[in-house]
Structures are given as structure tokens and as C-alpha cells.
Amino acid sequence: MAIAKLARKVKRPYGLWVKMTAVTMLGLCFIFVWGVFSNSSSSITTQRESFEDIIEPSSSSSTSSKGVQTQTQLPHKKEETKAEEKQNFGGVSNKEKDVLGEDEKKGNSSATVPPEHDKGVAPHKRVHKNDRDKDKVRANEVSESDGNDESDDKEEKEESEGELEGEKEGSDRDGEVGVDFEMDDGGDSGLAESLDQDSKLFEDGGVGTSKGQFKGPLFDPNASYKWKSCSTRSKHNYIPCIDIEVGGGKVQSYRHTERSCPRAPVMCLVPLPHGGYGYSQPWPESKSKILFKNVAHPRLAAYMKKHSWLVESGEYLTFPQNQSEFKGGIQHYLESIEEMVPDIEWGKNIRVVLEIGCSDSSFVAALLDRDVLTLTLGLKHDLVDLAQVALERGFPAVVSPFGRRRLPFPSQAFDAIHCGGCSIPWHSNGGKLLFEMNRILRPSGYFIMSTKHDSIEEEEAMTSLTASICWNVLAHKSDDVGEVGVKIYQKPEGNEIYELRRKKIPPLCKESENPDAAWYVRMKSCLHSIPIGIEQHGAEWPEQWPKRLESYPDWISSKEKLVADMNHWNAVVNRSYLNGLGINWPSIRNVMDMKTIYGGFAAALSRSQPNVWVMNVVPVHAPDTLPIIFERGLIGVYHDWCESFGTYPRTYDLLHADHLFSRLKNRCKQPVSIVVEMDRMLRPGGWSIIRDKVEILNPLEEILRSMKWEIRMTFAQDKEGILCAQKTIWRP
């Protein structure tokens, strides 16, 4: 009845007003209901498929450049015109485009999320939706790569019990954030204009910003730090992601079977050796002698009694030139290899070599005299710590487990791989260890293996395994003088030979399997196809050294970006670093570039300081440029700076960090742990050069002061700055 009455009223002259009133009331009711059941902060959801547009988070509160006190101002030419400045720097808006090109779009495919890290985030960790999306993408990559063959899945289940100890201490991996690079070219105008260019890069929108990504300062400016010494089992030789922190005295090995980091970031300082620490010997004196107390170890003392290539002489540990693990002498050993395979021209055709396992480092030292850069892989079972001895002497080395996961190198990287006095069971575990060597060895590259004790069973197994991957035996010689048997294999240069195999075991990897994926990726029971197109890295052998350093292969999309990177770091190193920071460069030998792009800093430093070698680190969240670094004849690794690096404490003379911290915002649960890691890696008296935004350098300077580091120079212009600090011998 009420509805009928309302209908009759609507037909009256004033019924139109009733209609409008009813519509208005319905609209208000709809808005009220929407406001109650809808959250304004999540009413619009944007799902990202990529992170190419996320460059640098912008701060909600601007920081004045006066926050960093200038102690030493580097000279620069004031008469430089704006046109010349633009020419030197290459322009702001095009800089990122020139530096990255297509690499930015690809991202670093070497990184995957380790399964043991995918367990959520601590309560205080701020997780962005973008980070969760990124983790989903990485998880899909892992599932796709691990699905190559079912045998790998079965082996993973069988090996899970052996890895249980490491899994329990595995760290939580933070969400990945899209990263871009910047190049603040110093040009001819020195540091001031270089920092001014950094400021313009962010003010003018040259790299862009992402709203909502920045959640506050990287370091809490109001925090105070009280440090304590690490009380771990390995004490002064503590390597966080390699060593087991605690354990019973009956446990013979104090190292994980695989890389496994502590759940909580390391926030303690590694103590000095019990016998004290002395400043390292400068190069080249360190080749022949080092301070014994710097590397003192009970197992090392026992090792010295059985080997004559290292001798304790007073306070020093000496290395006689006429003594070597190779009884005929290292020079005789190298000459015999060249006689067996004349194409092996050390220092020309062969530039980058991987040495499996540490011994007396005579092989590394002898090749260094021939312009061959050899990276030693210190294995986890090296309980004598010979890799630490090699680093103390000034030879490149990294420490890594070598069991079930890939090594942190790209594919087609090394010109040759050497295993001297080799006792590695290459044929075990289905031959996966040798398949990994095949992955990182350049096509037509050489695998040189010398053994002292030949076993017929092992010899037959090795012969069958190398034949299955089509390695050609170039030479086999039993040296009566050196008392070793030497075999030289060569990797094929094309895929045709794979198709001629009667049994396709191991099979070829799927095309979706990325050969450069290396971070927390399991070794595969398959062979990657050999690159054949000029657009693929590894398809052609590089130029001879030293022309190789400045040559640009055809597979690099844009040569201009490499030229810009080279010119930039040549200017910065020659006009700022060498003369303006107060560093005693003759005392610098072991250097690390913690965030490199194309190895420009390493190349520039090697030209002006030939006694220096640089470990180039490409972060796993950055575009994958490590193949380019190896192509230039330099060395490097993939790494995630939310974790500890694979090296002993006190092994580097200089650490270089170019906008490393600003690129790690919202990735690491406790960014201060990166500074703690820098303190662990750096020798007392070592230097650190940090270029970054002023809002990061201000609290970072206070953190370094709390560690009793000496701040030697700070300089700031607009929003960009540089900090040069020197570590002292102080320990808590």
C-alpha cells in the first residue's frame, strides 16, 4: 500500500522533486557504504611486472650539503664553462641511458632467491609490495631452472639432511629492489663538479624517483653504537657465511657444507690474532715474506713441518724462490705446459685463469710475472687457511664451498682453469663438479690438471666423463722431473660435436636455463649450448692482452657507454684519488670495488698503479655486467651485500664504494652490518673511499667514528659527497 501511495504522489506535479531526493539519498548511502568497507590506502593497487623505473628513493626531508664537514677540498678548475662541463660529463639526462643501455632492462639474471632464505621477514623489516612481487619473479626463475631434469630434484631430497645444519642458520633474504646505475663523471673539473653532477642527477630527474619506496634514512642519525668482539669458534679468522658460529669441540670441521649465513646480521667486530697484528708488508716484498703472526694458525704450524716452500724465519714467514710444490720448479712446469700446447701463450692469449684450491701460490706468482691474472678459489676444507696466506702475500683469492651450488662467476668467463696436485673427485656426484667447470670455462678454453698419484679407476672414470662432455685431450705427459702427470683438455668451440655423441648424457640444458645464473643456484646435470652468434658473450676469443682491456666485443650493445665509463674513472682516479685523498698508494695492493659496472675503476687504477689488483663485485640486484669485466681481462664475482663476503678478515688494503649504500635502501634488514663487514675485510691501516648522498654520509661518518676509524677527508657539494676514512688497529 505504501508503494502504491508513493507511485500516485510521483504522478503529481511535485513528483519530480521526490525522484531527485530519492536518487540523492541513494547516492549518499552508496558513498557511506564504500567509505566504511574500503581502505583508502589500498583502494588503488598497482602491481609491477618490472622495476625498471625504480632508480633512487627520494628523501622526504632534504639534507643540506653542510651536514658533511669539509676537511680537505680538492682543487678544480673554476674557469670551466658550462658547455665544457656538459661535454666532460656527457649530459645528465642521457647519462643513465648511455651507461646502462639494454642491460638495465635485463637486470642481473645471476641472482636467485635461495630456498632456505624464503621464510619471511623479521617484524621490524619493512616489506614493500614491489619487493614481494620481485621475490615471486625470482622464485619463478628458480623453479624454472631447477626443473631441468628430475634427477636434480631427487638429489636435492637426498642432500637435504646433509644441509640441515646449514639450513638452520640460513639468513632471511630481503626483497629485491630494482636498481639503476649512475655515472658522475669527474671530467677535467675535479671532484667538486663531479659531486655537483651527482646532485643534478637526482634534482633534474635524470634517473627518476619512485614514490613510496623510501621509508626513512638508511642509517638512524640518532642511534648510538657500542661494539663488542665476536666470540665465534673461528675467532680472529671468522668468515660469517662460511664458518659455523658455534659447535661442540668434537666437530672436526668448523665450516658449512654450503654457504649459509647467520639469521641475524653480524654486529660484532672480529678480533685481532692472539699474538697481535703487524702492518702488512708492501708489494713486492710480500711475495717473498709476510709477518707470521698475521696468519698464525695451529694447523698452519703443523703444515709447515711437512712442506719446504714456506719457512718460519724469526717473525716472518718466508717463501724461498727455489722451493715449490712442483719439484722441478714452477718455471719448468709452466714451460712444459707451453711445450705441450704451443697455443697457450701466457700473458697474451691466456689472461684470466682460475686456480682450484690453494697450495704454495707459486703458480699464481709465476703467472703474475707473465701478465696473467689468476684468481685462486680457496675451498671450504682448506682448514690450514692457505687462502689467507695467499691474500696476505698479495694474490687474488676468494673462499667458497664447492659442492652442490654454482660458483659466483658468469659462464664463459675464464681462459683457463688449473688444478695442481688435483685431488678433487671430478667424477663423483654424477660429474656435476666438472660440468660446473665446463660452464665457467670459455669455449676453446683449457683445463689443466696435474696429479701426483694416478689411480686406474679414477683415470678411467675421468676419461669417460671428459669424453661425455666432448673435451679434447690435447696433451698427456708424465714429467719425471716434477714427478707429476699433466693432462691438458680443451673445451669445444661449437655445438656440432654434441650432436655426434652416441649417448646424449649429459643432455643439453633447456634454452630457458640461464647459464649466467650463479647466486644460490644448484649445479646442473646438463651442458649449456656454446654461444655461436656474435651477439652472445663467449662466442669469440678476446683480443690479446693488453689490447683486450680497451677493446669492445661485438656482443656489447653500445660501445659508447663503456667509453663513457672508462673516461669517467680515468678522470676521477687521476685527478682526485691519486693526489687528493692522502692515500699512500705504494702501500696499496689488494683492492675491492664493492659496486662496479664495467670495471672502469679497476682499469683506471691498474693503468696508473700497476702493482694493484682489483676484485670487481657486481651486486646480485644490479644489471649483470660481470661478463663484460671478464671479457676485458679483469676478475670479479657476484655478491649480495646483505651477506658477508667470501674472504678472510683483514685481507684488503682499500675498499671502494660508489653509491653502494643508496642502492641498498630497503634491501638489507640492518644496513649497519655492511659497515661491520667492511671493517672485517679491511686491514688495520687500510682505506675506504665512499661516494654517496650526503644524507647517507652524515650518519655513516658517525658510525665509522664509533669504530675508531680516522676520517681523513670529507667533501660535499649540494646533495652528493665523498668520504675517505682509514681503519685503525683498535678493537673493543
Side-chain angles (χ1 to χ4, degrees):
M1 296 294 294
I3 297 176
K5 290 181 180 180
L6 179 60
R8 287 195 295 271
K9 290 181 180 181
V10 170
K11 296 180 180 180
R12 294 176 184 177
Y14 54 87
L16 178 62
W17 298 103
V18 176
K19 294 179 182 179
M20 295 180 62
T21 303
V23 172
T24 304
M25 292 180 64
L26 289 174
L28 292 175
C29 291
F30 178 81
I31 294 175
F32 175 78
V33 173
W34 178 265
V36 171
F37 293 96
S38 175
N39 188 350
S40 60
S41 62
S42 60
S43 59
I44 299 178
T45 302
T46 302
Q47 181 173 358
R48 293 183 179 272
E49 298 297 334
S50 67
F51 292 82
E52 298 174 11
D53 58 334
I54 298 180
I55 307 300
E56 182 69 27
S58 58
S59 174
S60 58
S61 59
S62 60
T63 304
S64 173
S65 62
K66 296 180 181 179
V68 178
Q69 181 180 0
T70 302
Q71 297 177 349
T72 303
Q73 182 168 345
L74 302 185
H76 61 280
K77 298 179 182 179
K78 297 182 179 180
E79 65 274 9
E80 188 95 343
T81 64
K82 293 184 178 180
E84 292 173 339
E85 182 183 74
K86 184 176 181 180
Q87 181 179 0
N88 289 332
F89 288 95
V92 176
S93 60
N94 294 329
K95 181 180 298 183
E96 297 296 323
K97 182 178 179 181
D98 292 340
V99 175
L100 290 179
E102 297 298 327
D103 295 331
E104 177 190 357
K105 300 179 181 178
K106 297 177 182 178
N108 191 343
S109 56
S110 66
T112 57
V113 178
E116 64 269 25
H117 290 179
D118 192 15
K119 300 178 182 178
V121 184
H124 67 277
K125 175 70 171 65
R126 296 178 177 179
V127 181
H128 301 284
K129 185 179 185 301
N130 294 340
D131 297 342
R132 295 193 295 268
D133 293 341
K134 189 70 173 182
D135 288 336
K136 292 179 181 178
V137 174
R138 293 297 174 88
N140 291 336
E141 292 178 2
V142 174
S143 62
E144 181 180 6
S145 62
D146 288 348
N148 189 62
D149 48 54
E150 298 178 356
S151 61
D152 290 342
D153 297 334
K154 294 180 181 179
E155 291 177 6
E156 289 178 11
K157 294 180 181 179
E158 295 174 357
E159 294 166 355
S160 60
E161 296 181 359
E163 290 187 356
L164 182 60
E165 181 182 43
E167 300 290 340
K168 291 181 180 180
E169 298 186 8
S171 63
D172 296 332
R173 180 66 55 85
D174 302 313
E176 302 286 351
V177 175
V179 175
D180 201 346
F181 283 113
E182 66 196 40
M183 284 182 55
D184 37 30
D185 297 332
D188 295 334
S189 55
L191 181 62
E193 294 186 5
S194 175
L195 296 181
D196 179 65
Q197 198 72 1
D198 288 340
S199 178
K200 290 182 179 179
L201 194 60
F202 295 99
E203 290 178 355
D204 299 343
V207 294
T209 57
S210 176
K211 294 182 179 180
Q213 184 186 2
F214 181 62
K215 293 292 184 179
L218 183 68
F219 303 114
D220 185 359
N222 299 322
S224 60
Y225 301 93
K226 294 182 180 180
W227 303 104
K228 63 179 182 179
S229 294
C230 298
S231 57
T232 55
R233 186 180 180 186
S234 49
K235 300 176 182 178
H236 59 278
N237 284 340
Y238 179 41
I239 309 176
C241 293
I242 304 295
D243 296 343
I244 299 174
E245 287 71 28
V246 293
K250 296 182 179 180
V251 180
Q252 295 183 358
S253 176
Y254 59 86
R255 288 180 172 166
H256 294 293
T257 56
E258 290 293 344
R259 179 180 177 87
S260 181
C261 299
R263 289 186 179 276
V266 177
M267 292 297 292
C268 60
L269 303 184
V270 177
L272 297 175
H274 299 300
Y277 182 85
Y279 292 109
S280 300
Q281 296 295 301
W283 184 266
E285 286 80 2
S286 61
K287 291 175 61 177
S288 57
K289 67 175 183 179
I290 59 175
L291 285 173
F292 181 45
K293 62 182 181 181
N294 289 357
V295 296
H297 192 278
R299 293 179 182 267
L300 180 61
Y303 180 86
M304 292 168 53
K305 297 178 181 179
K306 301 179 181 179
H307 298 81
S308 60
W309 62 268
L310 70 171
V311 179
E312 184 178 1
S313 178
E315 63 176 347
Y316 294 103
L317 193 62
T318 61
F319 309 93
Q321 293 185 356
N322 58 344
Q323 297 293 330
S324 172
E325 287 288 272
F326 304 96
K327 292 188 177 181
I330 186 60
Q331 297 299 333
H332 169 77
Y333 180 72
L334 293 179
E335 291 172 0
S336 63
I337 291 176
E338 286 187 308
E339 291 177 359
M340 294 166 66
V341 182
D343 288 340
I344 297 180
E345 298 180 86
W346 301 116
K348 294 182 180 179
N349 190 36
I350 303 298
R351 163 63 182 176
V352 183
V353 176
L354 179 67
E355 166 79 343
I356 303 295
C358 285
S359 56
D360 60 351
S361 298
S362 62
F363 181 79
V364 179
L367 287 182
L368 192 62
D369 295 336
R370 305 189 182 196
D371 279 339
V372 176
L373 190 58
T374 305
L375 176 61
T376 299
L377 180 67
L379 305 179
K380 72 174 186 65
H381 59 261
D382 173 26
L383 302 182
V384 184
D385 294 334
L386 293 179
Q388 186 183 31
V389 175
L391 285 162
E392 185 70 17
R393 295 178 66 184
F395 301 133
V398 292
V399 180
S400 174
F402 185 41
R404 290 180 287 272
R405 292 176 183 159
R406 288 179 172 179
L407 297 174
F409 308 116
S411 64
Q412 335 293 341
F414 293 95
D415 305 333
I417 299 175
H418 177 258
C419 188
C422 203
S423 59
I424 295 178
W426 298 106
H427 57 280
S428 64
N429 196 18
K432 284 187 177 181
L433 298 180
L434 197 66
F435 299 161
E436 175 65 3
M437 296 294 98
N438 185 78
R439 182 186 72 88
I440 64 177
L441 186 62
R442 184 180 295 277
S444 300
Y446 304 95
F447 183 83
I448 306 170
M449 183 176 67
S450 63
T451 56
K452 293 184 178 180
H453 305 286
D454 291 333
S455 169
I456 297 178
E457 293 78 8
E458 293 182 358
E459 180 75 15
E460 292 178 351
M462 186 66 178
T463 300
S464 176
L465 183 60
T466 54
S468 68
I469 61 177
C470 302
W471 279 13
N472 183 26
V473 181
L474 296 181
H476 183 196
K477 179 180 180 181
S478 297
D479 192 343
D480 296 333
V481 178
E483 298 182 1
V484 294
V486 181
K487 265 192 177 182
I488 303 178
Y489 301 89
Q490 187 175 32
K491 180 180 176 179
E493 60 179 356
N495 296 306
E496 296 82 6
I497 194 171
Y498 291 150
E499 302 299 329
L500 299 177
R501 296 179 299 169
R502 292 183 179 179
K503 296 181 179 180
K504 304 298 189 294
I505 301 176
L508 293 180
C509 299
K510 296 180 180 179
E511 294 183 359
S512 59
E513 174 71 38
N514 182 10
D516 293 332
W519 190 249
Y520 283 97
V521 175
R522 287 184 176 272
M523 296 179 184
K524 306 299 177 184
S525 299
C526 61
L527 299 177
H528 288 282
S529 298
I530 295 175
I532 55 176
I534 60 174
E535 70 280 358
Q536 297 176 290
H537 78 271
E540 296 181 350
W541 198 271
E543 296 282 350
Q544 289 191 350
W545 183 263
K547 186 179 179 181
R548 177 175 178 173
L549 184 63
E550 298 183 4
S551 61
Y552 310 110
D554 295 331
W555 53 268
I556 297 178
S557 58
S558 177
K559 299 179 181 180
E560 289 77 11
K561 55 188 177 183
L562 269 77
V563 175
D565 182 79
M566 179 180 64
N567 294 337
H568 160 63
W569 287 113
N570 280 336
V572 171
V573 169
N574 294 324
R575 299 183 181 275
S576 299
Y577 288 0
L578 296 182
N579 302 316
L581 302 183
I583 298 176
N584 180 25
W585 286 100
S587 66
I588 303 298
R589 171 63 181 173
N590 302 358
V591 179
M592 175 185 289
D593 191 357
M594 299 177 69
K595 188 189 76 66
T596 188
I597 305 179
Y598 301 115
F601 169 73
L605 200 59
S606 63
R607 293 188 191 96
S608 58
Q609 302 292 322
N611 291 333
V612 166
W613 67 268
V614 180
M615 176 63 71
N616 295 279
V617 180
V618 174
V620 296
H621 57 79
D624 185 8
T625 56
L626 193 54
I628 299 177
I629 292 173
F630 275 95
E631 190 77 13
R632 302 184 67 183
L634 306 173
I635 58 174
V637 294
Y638 297 117
H639 186 63
D640 184 353
W641 283 115
C642 296
E643 302 181 0
S644 178
F645 191 81
T647 189
Y648 285 88
R650 306 172 301 277
T651 51
Y652 282 90
D653 301 306
L654 187 144
L655 301 177
H656 181 258
D658 179 32
H659 290 81
L660 170 69
F661 293 96
S662 59
R663 299 310 184 194
L664 290 176
K665 285 185 177 179
N666 306 318
R667 289 202 71 256
C668 307
K669 289 191 295 186
Q670 201 161 359
V672 180
S673 63
I674 306 172
V675 187
V676 175
E677 176 64 6
M678 294 175 67
D679 180 89
R680 188 188 72 88
M681 295 189 298
L682 200 60
R683 291 170 173 169
W687 295 78
S688 181
I689 304 174
I690 305 171
R691 299 165 64 94
D692 223 306
K693 300 170 66 176
V694 170
E695 63 183 21
I696 291 177
L697 294 182
N698 280 336
L700 179 58
E701 180 179 346
E702 296 305 318
I703 296 173
L704 296 177
R705 290 186 185 276
S706 70
M707 294 177 173
K708 309 302 181 184
W709 284 33
E710 297 289 342
I711 308 300
R712 297 302 184 186
M713 193 279 295
T714 57
F715 182 88
Q717 183 165 331
D718 296 329
K719 296 182 179 181
E720 296 295 321
I722 183 172
L723 187 153
C724 182
Q726 188 176 21
K727 178 183 173 181
T728 64
I729 206 168
W730 175 85
R731 295 289 88 179

